[in-house]
Amino acid sequence: MLQLNAGTKYYLYQQPVDMRKGSYGLCGVVNNEMRHNILLRDVFVFLNKKRSTIRLLQWDGDGFSLYEKKLAKGTFERKHEGDNGVVLLTHYQLQCILQGIILESIRFKRRYCR
């Protein structure tokens, strides 16, 4: 089961992905284009060209979990940063993207950070 928590790394792939790909096709994108190991239990996030569909892929120990959300109206936000077409997201940023919150509009108060 997918749980968004601070202990997991979330990688957003910047290029649009053909959503006809299943878990093994997306594993190929992770290994060949993102240059990451899919078996580390990180979550990999993919968007289609229209940004109306998002897929999250994760190895959960004994198989792949593939989660999909397709919007009836509107688009998902794509964060534009990072090297090699990959952006590292926090669990909070991913939750905001899934809920339709614009990341640039969020302001945080100053807190202690180690």
Side-chain angles (χ1 to χ4, degrees), residues 74-87:
T75 60
F76 291 105
E77 182 176 2
R78 176 177 284 143
K79 189 171 175 164
H80 296 286
E81 293 177 9
D83 313 348
N84 302 330
V86 179
V87 176

Side-chain angles (χ1 to χ4, degrees), residues 45-63:
V45 182
F46 304 95
L47 294 166
N48 66 343
K49 189 174 184 178
K50 293 180 184 179
R51 296 183 310 165
S52 61
T53 304
I54 191 168
R55 282 195 176 172
L56 285 71
L57 177 68
Q58 182 183 34
W59 173 258
D60 64 5
D62 60 355

Side-chain angles (χ1 to χ4, degrees), residues 13 15-27 29 33 46-50 53-55 66 68 78:
Y13 185 58
Q15 302 299 319
V17 174
D18 182 1
M19 289 298 161
R20 293 177 290 183
K21 292 184 182 204
S23 57
Y24 294 113
L26 293 175
C27 285
V29 173
E33 297 179 30
F46 304 95
L47 294 166
N48 66 343
K49 189 174 184 178
K50 293 180 184 179
T53 304
I54 191 168
R55 282 195 176 172
L66 183 63
E68 178 180 272
R78 176 177 284 143

Side-chain angles (χ1 to χ4, degrees), residues 21-108:
K21 292 184 182 204
S23 57
Y24 294 113
L26 293 175
C27 285
V29 173
V30 171
N31 289 328
N32 300 329
E33 297 179 30
M34 297 175 74
R35 305 280 186 218
H36 285 278
N37 184 356
I38 190 70
L39 301 177
L40 296 178
R41 296 190 184 211
D42 297 331
V43 175
F44 298 92
V45 182
F46 304 95
L47 294 166
N48 66 343
K49 189 174 184 178
K50 293 180 184 179
R51 296 183 310 165
S52 61
T53 304
I54 191 168
R55 282 195 176 172
L56 285 71
L57 177 68
Q58 182 183 34
W59 173 258
D60 64 5
D62 60 355
F64 292 105
S65 296
L66 183 63
Y67 301 91
E68 178 180 272
K69 183 173 183 179
K70 184 169 178 70
L71 297 176
K73 184 177 181 181
T75 60
F76 291 105
E77 182 176 2
R78 176 177 284 143
K79 189 171 175 164
H80 296 286
E81 293 177 9
D83 313 348
N84 302 330
V86 179
V87 176
L88 182 62
L89 299 172
T90 66
H91 69 289
Y92 184 72
Q93 288 172 326
L94 179 57
Q95 185 177 13
C96 290
I97 290 171
L98 291 171
Q99 295 298 319
I101 299 170
I102 299 170
L103 295 176
E104 291 180 4
S105 67
I106 299 172
R107 292 189 349 219
F108 294 98

